[in-house]
Amino acid sequence: MDTRLEAKLGFDKVRAAVQGRCSTDYAATRVTEEEFVADAGEIRRRQLLTDEMRLILMFEDAFPTAGYIDAIPFLEPIGKNASIDLLSLGKLRTLLDTLRRALHFFHTVKEGIYPNLQHLAAGISAPAEVIGRIDAILDRHGEMKDTASDELYSIRRSIKDKEINVSKRMNAILRQAQAEGIADADASVSIRDGKMLIPVASAKKRQFQGYIYDESATGKTAFMEPAEIVALQNEIAQLHFDETREMARILYEFAEFLRPFVPELIAGATFVGELDFNMAKAQVALDYIAGMPVISEDGSLQLRKARHPLLEKSLRKEGKDIVPLTLTLTPEKRILLISGPNAGGKSVCLKTAGLLQYMFQWGMLIPTSETSELPVFDRIMVSIGDDQSLENDLSTYSSFLADMKAMLAVADARTLVLIDEFGSGTEPAAGGAIAEAILHALDERGAYGVITTHYTNLKLYAAGAGTGVVNGAMQFDAATVAPLFRLETGLPGSSFAFELARKMGLPEPLVHDAEERAGEQFVGMERNLRKIARSRRALDEKLSHVKAADKTLEGLTDRYEKELEEIKEMRRKILDEARAEAEKIVREANKRVEGTIRTIRESQADKAQTKEARAQLQDFLGALAEGREKREDYIESKLQKVQKQKSRRRQQAPKADEDKMAAWRSAPLKVGEKVRILSNGMVGEVAVVSTKAVSVVVGSVVTKLPLDRVERITSNEYKAAAKAPSERPRQVYDAALTERKARFKPELDVRGERVNDALEIVMRYVDDAIMLGVPSVRILHGKGTGALREEIQKFVRTVPGVKSAQDEHVQFGGAGVTVITFD
């Protein structure tokens, strides 16, 4: 444990925050002794335990969050033939009650929801015999019962009887003293230090048979204990001694009974301490709005929307928001060199990366997006702040060089180095040269790092080809001369020294003189850096606009392509119908010609009949001849006629067709037919049919439904329903619906269910939510492999009336909860 490193990064405050959440000394000691680890499996185990506890605190009311007691300190001596005291017995009962409730929770919760904590609970038990024995000894207030033993019952009964007798006798003595004028008429029995006393006038105290125990402040009243009461009080005192001895005997006898259970009880106390330890970590994670990142497999470090927890807490008190950090290091570009103006956020970026990496390898959840990826380092080394020491004869720069010597001695590809104000503290030319040489050495050794600097030669080194160093800049608003606290990777930053000097009110001639002394080359470089930064931001904005336009254009293109395909299909059908009509006409013409020839033959050349037949044929042939020139007009008119007929058929719905359609819909379903789900209007294809149920494919989801919950539809109805925009079903309100809405819960837990069963439950739940007009619901499915989450979200997005289905905010469950909103 490197206390200097933890103090530099601020982890000592995080550790103290976790320790402050602990209820037991066991958990507090675990926090103190827990160390930074470099084993990916151990890191993931610690984080999974914390993440599961975080979910329990968020969603599980049945889990005990109080009653965490340290029992190991008094259990271990019992195993070595020691006894137990009454207070420890009460603590043991509290511990066993907490242990029993925790074990009941893990034994009754669905398997696989909290697998790591359930594994921790395996083999732990709360002995029922011990609980029963304790309940026979202690009452609900933690006091020993009168019935703990027959002897104790007899002793306490005698004590009560004698105390009653003492009280009665004292009142009789007081009345007698008042009658004799020894005590005032309004006097009453006084209790001092547990003794019952009679207030007697000091002038008459010799007339009273008893012992003076105390006097009033004025000395006018003496508080006396009657002589005959002393004997009774002595008897009561003896009974109290007997009571104490009997209680000690009962406790020793219980310790003898308990001794064989001590190993089992110590294991249970350890388990409760581990729960307390993980609960403290989870509570701090909830305070920090933290999540569980991914362990990088390719050596990349990607922080997305990362926040420094201590800085965020401080800013929140001031009513300010923190600017999240996005930072990337890869095996090719392992060292980030951040430059920019003072007070621009360079050191915050460095400390955020270092603190979150340390928290991650300590086993905590970190305040960043759960899609962040972090590698595992063997060590983190820092050079932050001034470590000058008079005792060790170290100046600021000497302490910096000592840090660099220690880093170079062990730096490798599994080392993360954090250096603030790299190379400062000495003459700039020499300091810059030494800093560049150290940076080159760290680069060659493959170390990862985040370094802040103002040196131009280091920026040029990072900009060179073939290095593992990349420039980064803290953005700055030149117009308002104010930092934006946003990191931009790929370009070095400008110091904005002259702009800041002007903003702070230094005389313009002085600033101008400083610019001339700095030289045209330096001023020009700073000016060009600012221009490049502005140009890049403008280019990024244009690029984002172009991407948005491309996305819109892509959507329009897809829509127009679909419409064009529909038009082509319609044209093909119309031409096919026109050709069929033309063929029919030709066939009719052939029939006419053949009929004419047959008429002429049968009339045996009768002139009148022959002439009439020839005239009819000539008219028909003339119509065909004219049609040759007007074929396009003819086809067009036929097309229009066909379209009108289709439109008329769609508008008219004859009863005969309705009866036929009803009979068709009620016929037995077959595999491959299209159906509509009556409860929500969704359409799908029949996959399996049985005598009582049918399996329907909706999109990529298969759902099993009773036969009376679906109806057969035509292919055209199926296509129309698939193309039609989702419309919210009309809601009907009645008394039954109102009662159903009152019973409806806005949260559904399907953790531990199989995918098909979970989808069936979710489908019915979403149907109810839509019918009842609920604006949004939450589905608790857990994280696991992510398969259940993906299938649920994929299915829900196909349901008409669903507006969106997305992960919950990380503070309220993240990827383990899906929030569904409705239109």
Side-chain angles (χ1 to χ4, degrees):
M1 188 185 302
D2 189 339
T3 55
R4 173 184 174 274
L5 171 64
E6 292 189 0
K8 292 286 186 181
L9 295 177
F11 185 75
D12 56 337
K13 295 182 176 63
V14 176
R15 190 190 290 269
V18 177
Q19 200 165 39
R21 292 283 189 165
C22 296
S23 298
T24 62
D25 292 339
Y26 175 93
T29 303
R30 287 278 284 109
V31 174
T32 302
E33 295 176 350
E34 192 83 334
E35 295 183 353
F36 174 96
V37 292
D39 179 74
E42 176 62 14
I43 292 170
R44 180 55 74 210
R45 186 191 71 83
R46 293 181 183 182
Q47 290 192 326
L48 286 171
L49 287 170
T50 307
D51 191 52
E52 289 177 10
M53 184 59 74
R54 178 177 68 97
L55 294 175
I56 286 174
L57 294 179
M58 291 170 62
F59 301 117
E60 307 289 358
D61 294 334
F63 185 79
T65 56
Y68 289 80
I69 299 294
D70 282 301
I72 296 177
F74 62 80
L75 284 174
E76 288 179 340
I78 292 174
K80 300 174 183 178
N81 296 323
S83 185
I84 188 171
D85 58 43
L86 194 62
L87 178 61
S88 296
L89 185 61
K91 289 182 177 180
L92 181 59
R93 183 171 68 175
T94 302
L95 172 74
L96 288 173
D97 181 61
T98 303
L99 178 61
R100 179 185 56 79
R101 292 168 58 201
L103 292 175
H104 176 74
F105 172 82
F106 288 118
H107 291 159
T108 56
V109 76
K110 294 178 183 177
E111 189 70 28
I113 296 182
Y114 307 115
N116 293 278
L117 287 172
Q118 286 175 316
H119 177 72
L120 200 65
I124 304 299
S125 63
E129 304 96 316
V130 176
I131 296 174
R133 189 71 176 267
I134 294 175
D135 288 341
I137 295 174
L138 295 184
D139 62 18
R140 61 191 183 91
H141 301 294
E143 299 294 336
M144 187 174 288
K145 292 180 177 179
D146 294 349
T147 56
S149 73
D150 293 341
E151 180 66 19
L152 183 63
Y153 179 83
S154 175
I155 292 171
R156 289 185 173 176
R157 184 70 180 175
S158 297
I159 291 173
K160 289 179 181 177
D161 290 343
K162 290 190 178 296
E163 286 177 344
I164 292 172
N165 289 336
V166 167
S167 178
K168 290 180 178 179
R169 189 60 194 145
M170 284 292 293
N171 288 327
I173 293 171
L174 176 61
R175 287 195 296 272
Q176 183 179 355
Q178 289 172 333
E180 295 175 356
I182 298 174
D184 294 338
D186 58 350
S188 61
V189 176
S190 178
I191 307 290
R192 296 201 175 190
D193 298 332
K195 290 182 177 293
M196 301 179 73
L197 307 173
I198 301 293
V200 177
S202 296
K204 299 179 180 181
K205 60 186 177 182
R206 295 184 183 280
Q207 301 176 25
F208 186 81
Q209 296 296 319
Y211 306 96
I212 298 175
Y213 186 81
D214 197 3
E215 285 187 341
S216 65
T218 60
K220 293 181 178 180
T221 304
F223 295 93
M224 302 184 68
E225 184 177 15
E228 61 181 290
I229 297 298
V230 173
L232 291 174
Q233 291 285 18
N234 288 339
E235 291 177 13
I236 293 174
Q238 182 60 46
L239 287 172
H240 280 299
F241 290 140
D242 295 341
E243 178 189 28
T244 302
R245 282 194 298 270
E246 179 60 16
M247 291 173 64
R249 187 196 65 77
I250 293 171
L251 293 173
Y252 184 80
E253 184 179 288
F254 175 78
E256 289 290 324
F257 159 79
L258 190 66
R259 197 158 289 121
F261 296 96
V262 166
E264 185 178 354
L265 293 172
I266 289 177
T270 302
F271 171 68
V272 169
E274 287 295 323
L275 290 181
D276 186 29
F277 170 61
N278 284 288
M279 197 186 310
K281 291 170 63 180
Q283 287 170 336
V284 172
L286 289 172
D287 289 343
Y288 291 164
I289 315 178
M292 184 169 64
V294 178
I295 296 180
S296 176
E297 296 181 355
D298 61 359
S300 298
L301 189 156
Q302 297 184 5
L303 290 175
R304 298 182 177 94
K305 298 182 180 179
R307 310 178 315 279
H308 193 292
L310 305 178
L311 177 61
E312 184 177 30
K313 183 178 180 181
S314 176
L315 290 175
R316 194 182 296 131
K317 291 179 180 178
E318 300 175 8
K320 299 178 182 178
D321 294 327
I322 195 169
V323 179
L325 168 68
T326 296
L327 181 150
T328 300
L329 300 179
T330 66
E332 293 75 29
K333 293 294 182 180
R334 304 173 305 277
I335 300 177
L336 175 64
L337 186 75
I338 306 176
S339 52
N342 287 320
K346 300 190 300 297
S347 298
V348 172
C349 287
L350 177 145
K351 290 183 178 180
T352 300
L355 177 59
L356 297 194
Q357 182 69 41
Y358 197 96
M359 290 172 64
F360 167 73
Q361 292 194 229
W362 194 76
M364 286 195 68
L365 306 182
I366 60 176
T368 181
S369 167
E370 291 187 332
T371 61
S372 296
E373 297 184 31
L374 281 79
V376 177
F377 294 108
D378 287 341
R379 64 193 66 84
I380 299 176
M381 308 195 73
V382 301
S383 177
I384 301 174
D386 188 355
D387 283 338
Q388 62 176 315
S389 170
L390 295 177
E391 293 83 359
N392 298 324
D393 194 24
L394 283 177
S395 65
T396 299
Y397 194 66
S398 297
S399 67
F400 164 75
L401 293 177
D403 288 340
M404 296 303 102
K405 178 182 177 182
M407 286 184 187
L408 293 172
V410 296
D412 57 18
R414 301 261 302 178
T415 302
L416 175 65
V417 298
L418 306 168
I419 307 174
D420 194 25
E421 299 295 344
F422 194 25
S424 62
T426 190
E427 195 276 323
I434 293 174
E436 185 173 350
I438 294 172
L439 179 60
H440 177 67
L442 293 172
D443 185 16
E444 283 190 330
R445 298 181 189 192
Y448 285 68
V450 179
I451 299 173
T452 69
T453 189
H454 288 288
Y455 284 134
T456 302
N457 63 312
L458 300 183
K459 302 177 190 177
L460 295 175
Y461 177 87
T467 70
V469 186
V470 62
N471 271 308
M474 299 310 298
Q475 294 184 10
F476 198 83
D477 189 341
T480 61
V481 196
L484 300 177
F485 303 108
R486 288 197 295 267
L487 175 65
E488 185 176 27
T489 305
L491 288 176
S494 169
S495 66
F496 287 92
F498 301 122
E499 288 78 0
L500 287 171
R502 289 188 174 93
K503 181 182 179 183
M504 296 305 295
L506 288 181
E508 179 59 31
L510 188 149
V511 177
H512 182 69
D513 181 45
E515 289 178 333
E516 290 182 348
R517 292 176 183 274
E520 183 61 32
Q521 182 179 1
F522 176 81
V523 176
M525 182 182 296
E526 290 283 304
R527 188 181 300 115
N528 289 333
L529 284 175
R530 292 195 294 274
K531 287 182 180 178
I532 291 172
R534 285 195 297 270
S535 299
R536 179 166 179 173
R537 282 197 293 273
L539 183 61
D540 288 341
E541 290 178 1
K542 290 182 179 179
L543 184 61
S544 64
H545 290 317
V546 169
K547 287 181 178 178
D550 285 346
K551 190 173 181 180
T552 303
L553 183 60
E554 184 179 350
L556 289 173
T557 302
D558 291 341
R559 196 181 85 188
Y560 291 150
E561 285 179 353
K562 290 179 181 178
E563 291 180 356
L564 182 60
E565 289 297 325
E566 292 174 359
I567 293 172
K568 287 181 178 179
E569 180 67 17
M570 186 182 296
R571 183 175 182 276
R572 184 186 64 78
K573 289 181 179 179
I574 293 173
L575 290 176
D576 288 344
E577 292 174 358
R579 289 192 187 96
E581 188 74 16
E583 289 175 0
K584 182 179 178 183
I585 293 172
V586 171
R587 286 196 299 271
E588 183 67 25
N590 289 335
K591 289 181 181 179
R592 288 287 187 95
V593 171
E594 291 173 358
T596 301
I597 294 172
R598 187 168 55 254
T599 301
I600 293 173
R601 285 178 179 174
E602 290 175 353
S603 63
Q604 296 179 352
D606 181 87
K607 289 184 178 181
Q609 291 182 352
T610 301
K611 186 176 180 180
E612 183 179 354
R614 285 180 175 175
Q616 291 177 355
L617 180 61
Q618 193 64 37
D619 291 341
F620 183 76
L621 293 174
L624 291 178
E626 291 176 4
R628 181 177 297 175
E629 290 83 9
K630 301 178 180 178
R631 183 167 296 164
E632 292 298 327
D633 294 340
Y634 174 77
I635 291 175
E636 182 66 26
S637 66
K638 295 300 292 180
L639 290 175
Q640 292 178 359
K641 183 178 179 181
V642 169
Q643 288 296 105
K644 288 180 180 179
Q645 289 176 347
K646 285 186 176 182
S647 176
R648 197 159 47 246
R649 281 198 298 269
R650 282 196 300 267
Q651 293 174 358
Q652 296 175 353
K655 188 176 186 307
D657 291 344
E658 290 182 359
D659 295 340
K660 188 184 296 184
M661 180 62 71
W664 175 76
R665 290 191 191 278
S666 61
L669 291 172
K670 297 179 181 178
V671 174
E673 290 185 321
K674 306 296 188 296
V675 294
R676 177 186 291 111
I677 300 174
L678 297 175
S679 60
N680 55 25
M682 295 175 61
V683 296
E685 185 174 334
V686 176
V688 179
V689 181
S690 65
T691 57
K692 295 182 179 179
V694 59
S695 295
V696 181
V697 180
V698 180
S700 61
V701 178
V702 178
T703 181
K704 191 173 182 181
L705 298 166
L707 289 171
D708 59 359
R709 291 191 61 187
V710 300
E711 66 172 357
R712 180 188 280 106
I713 59 173
T714 65
S715 297
N716 289 335
E717 287 176 317
Y718 175 80
K719 293 177 182 178
K723 292 177 182 178
S726 299
E727 293 184 2
R728 189 117 178 218
R730 181 173 59 88
Q731 299 174 358
V732 179
Y733 297 94
D734 58 19
L737 189 64
T738 302
E739 183 181 355
R740 192 172 181 180
K741 188 169 185 178
R743 293 197 307 266
F744 184 81
K745 296 181 179 180
E747 188 172 275
L748 175 66
D749 188 351
V750 294
R751 291 175 293 178
E753 299 285 351
R754 295 186 178 181
V755 174
N756 286 339
D757 296 337
L759 290 177
E760 174 72 14
I761 295 169
V762 170
M763 184 186 73
R764 295 179 180 176
Y765 180 72
V766 170
D767 288 348
D768 290 345
I770 293 174
M771 182 180 69
L772 297 172
V774 178
S776 66
V777 295
R778 287 159 46 91
I779 309 294
L780 275 66
H781 44 66
K783 295 180 181 177
T785 62
L788 182 57
R789 164 186 170 274
E790 182 179 355
E791 289 300 325
I792 287 175
Q793 292 190 0
K794 187 190 299 181
F795 163 71
V796 169
R797 291 186 180 115
T798 66
V799 178
V802 172
K803 182 178 181 181
S804 67
Q806 58 190 8
D807 292 342
E808 176 62 279
H809 190 278
V810 66
Q811 185 179 5
F812 303 108
V817 180
T818 292
V819 178
I820 304 172
T821 55
F822 302 101
D823 293 332

